[in-house]
């Protein structure tokens, strides 16, 4: 099993508790491979059956390219567990169509939904005014808006969008959900299809984007979409940068509708140094790390170990992606 050195150190005992005979092929920070006996293994000689992509490989300096190279071109690989929820990167389709089983992770909904709630509270409470007053050493009081009684539009009701909707409703907000096929148990007050989004934009105070980028959603938030938004509203994107037409957003923020945008995903990452996004007063920019809650790695390990148990037992895997899923 191909795994990062850090993940092996943290979760190796959990993995062996599920699969005592498993042998770990640990990728070091320099991308070299070491087996359970401490011997270095040449990449051409490595033939893992399983690969688990963990979030530490994305950290600065992590050997993500070498790891994914082995996943992409490894002919021995039978099952690949990704740390991501989405499958819009081309490598995932390549893996599935090659015949390797692919499972995704839906463990970041806690931290991402909390990020969205924080963005909304900052916006409604005008938290920057408190920070400015403190920096100036001045005692200033201001009235702010409550979340209770606001209306939210959550575009995409997967694990993340569903968690956002649940939390917003706890605060007393009304939630309109957007999903291709609405489900009876969706945690929303009402639902609309993607084609109907423009009919409700004028009544919502917060728009949350939690959809992948595909032929249906790319450029969804364009000039027409933004022009239909409500004055004073907030746009939050935790889906994919390609969902938003950034030039149209720039012009809309200059006009003041929406009143603010909070983006954790952008079309180009990192954002270029000369981009308007760094300095626009109505934009809150974060470096694609809304998923970086401190509980995500343990949840990911629990999911992987459950799937490992299922894999060995010949049971269906959780969050398995098929070729039919890719086509959809």
């Amino acid at each position: 099993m191909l795994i990062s050195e850090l993940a092996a150190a943290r979760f190796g005992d959990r993995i062996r508790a599920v699969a005592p005979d498993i042998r770990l092929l640990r990728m070091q920070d320099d991308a070299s491979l070491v087996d359970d006996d401490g011997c270095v293994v040449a990449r051409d000689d490595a033939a893992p059956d399983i690969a688990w992509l963990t979030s530490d490989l994305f950290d600065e300096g992590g050997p993500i390219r070498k790891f994914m190279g082995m996943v992409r071109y490894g002919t021995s690989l039978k099952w690949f567990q990704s740390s991501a929820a989405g499958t819009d990167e081309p490598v995932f389709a390549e893996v599935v169509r090659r015949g390797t089983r692919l499972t995704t992770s839906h463990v970041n909904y806690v931290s991402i939904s909390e990020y969205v709630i924080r963005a909304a509270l900052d916006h409604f409470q005008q938290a920057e005014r408190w920070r400015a007053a403190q920096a100036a050493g001045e005692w200033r009081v201001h009235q702010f808006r409550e979340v209770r009684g606001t209306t939210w539009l959550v575009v995409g009701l997967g694990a993340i969008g569903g968690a956002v909707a649940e939390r917003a409703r706890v605060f007393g907000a009304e939630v309109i959900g957007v999903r291709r096929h609405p489900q009876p148990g969706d945690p929303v007050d009402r639902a609309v299809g993607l084609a109907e989004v423009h009919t409700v934009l004028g009544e919502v105070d917060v728009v949350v984007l939690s959809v992948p980028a595909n032929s249906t959603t790319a450029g969804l938030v364009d000039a027409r979409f933004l022009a239909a938004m409500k004055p004073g509203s907030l746009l939050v994107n935790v889906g994919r940068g390609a969902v938003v037409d950034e030039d149209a957003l720039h012009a809309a923020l200059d006009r003041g509708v929406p009143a603010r945008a909070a983006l954790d995903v952008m079309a180009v990452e990192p954002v270029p140094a000369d981009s308007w996004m760094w300095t626009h007063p109505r934009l809150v920019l974060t470096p694609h790390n809304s998923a970086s809650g401190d509980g995500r790695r343990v949840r990911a390990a629990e999911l992987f170990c459950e799937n490992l148990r299922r894999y060995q037992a010949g049971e269906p895997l959780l969050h398995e992606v098929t070729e039919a899923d890719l086509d959809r």
Side-chain angles (χ1 to χ4, degrees):
M1 170 184 158
L2 179 64
I3 188 173
S4 75
E5 175 61 41
L6 183 59
R10 285 177 172 168
F11 304 118
D13 289 344
R14 291 190 185 211
I15 292 169
R16 290 191 176 90
V18 176
D21 297 329
I22 200 165
R23 292 184 61 80
L24 303 182
L25 187 62
R26 299 173 302 196
M27 180 168 282
Q28 311 298 298
D29 288 344
D30 63 359
S32 62
L33 300 171
V34 176
D35 64 16
D36 279 338
D37 298 321
C39 299
V40 175
V41 178
R43 192 167 288 107
D44 290 343
D45 296 332
D49 302 297
I50 301 169
W52 179 24
L53 174 66
T54 48
S55 59
D56 59 279
L57 286 161
F58 293 92
D59 295 342
E60 187 173 350
I64 181 64
R65 291 186 180 276
K66 295 294 186 181
F67 189 98
M68 289 306 299
M70 291 187 65
V71 169
R72 189 170 195 170
Y73 303 111
T75 57
S76 65
L77 198 63
K78 297 181 176 64
W79 167 40
F80 170 46
Q81 169 101 22
S82 169
S83 63
T87 57
D88 45 315
E89 292 295 331
V91 64
F92 294 116
E94 292 176 17
V95 166
V96 171
R97 290 179 174 130
R98 183 182 69 203
T100 298
R101 299 179 74 179
L102 168 67
T103 51
T104 55
S105 293
H106 297 265
V107 299
N108 295 327
Y109 63 92
V110 174
S111 51
I112 296 178
S113 60
E114 290 180 2
Y115 169 98
V116 173
I117 295 298
R118 179 208 55 79
L121 288 173
D122 258 12
H123 173 59
F124 286 135
Q125 296 181 354
Q126 303 172 66
E128 72 280 359
R129 295 177 64 177
W130 283 319
R131 290 189 283 267
Q134 181 180 357
E138 298 177 1
W139 191 265
R140 303 181 201 152
V141 177
H142 69 270
Q143 180 172 289
F144 56 82
R145 189 174 186 186
E146 298 172 350
V147 176
R148 183 179 179 85
T150 60
T151 301
W152 294 39
L153 180 72
V154 180
V155 185
L157 287 174
I160 294 168
V164 170
E166 289 174 354
R167 286 155 176 76
R169 293 176 85 195
V170 167
F171 276 84
E174 178 188 4
V175 178
I176 305 170
V178 181
R179 189 205 279 269
R180 183 184 292 112
H181 303 294
Q183 305 296 320
D186 286 341
V188 298
D189 296 287
R190 53 191 167 116
V192 298
L194 199 58
E196 304 169 86
V197 165
H198 289 82
T199 67
V200 298
L201 282 172
E203 61 182 281
V204 300
D205 303 288
V206 181
V207 175
V208 181
L209 307 171
S210 59
V211 287
N214 54 41
S215 58
T216 303
T217 62
L220 170 69
V221 180
D222 56 10
R224 177 178 172 234
F225 184 108
L226 294 161
M229 289 183 67
K230 183 179 179 180
S233 60
L234 169 69
L235 174 72
V236 185
N237 189 9
V238 290
R240 287 291 183 266
V243 176
V244 176
D245 179 333
E246 292 174 354
D247 290 336
L249 177 61
H250 189 185
L253 290 174
D254 283 346
R255 290 192 299 270
V257 180
R260 181 173 296 182
L263 304 182
D264 190 52
V265 288
M266 284 65 63
V268 177
E269 298 177 3
V271 172
D274 60 351
S275 172
W276 63 272
M277 293 183 177
W278 291 111
T279 57
H280 201 288
R282 296 183 182 274
L283 178 65
V284 178
L285 185 69
T286 53
H288 201 155
N289 77 320
S290 62
S292 298
D294 57 7
R296 73 194 189 283
R297 287 173 174 161
V298 171
R299 290 192 296 273
E302 291 170 348
L303 172 62
F304 175 75
C305 288
E306 172 59 18
N307 262 346
L308 180 59
R309 183 197 67 75
R310 289 167 175 254
Y311 181 79
Q312 291 191 306
E315 298 175 6
L317 301 181
L318 298 174
H319 310 304
E320 181 161 10
V321 177
T322 67
E323 198 163 347
D325 294 324
L326 294 173
D327 291 338
R328 285 196 293 269

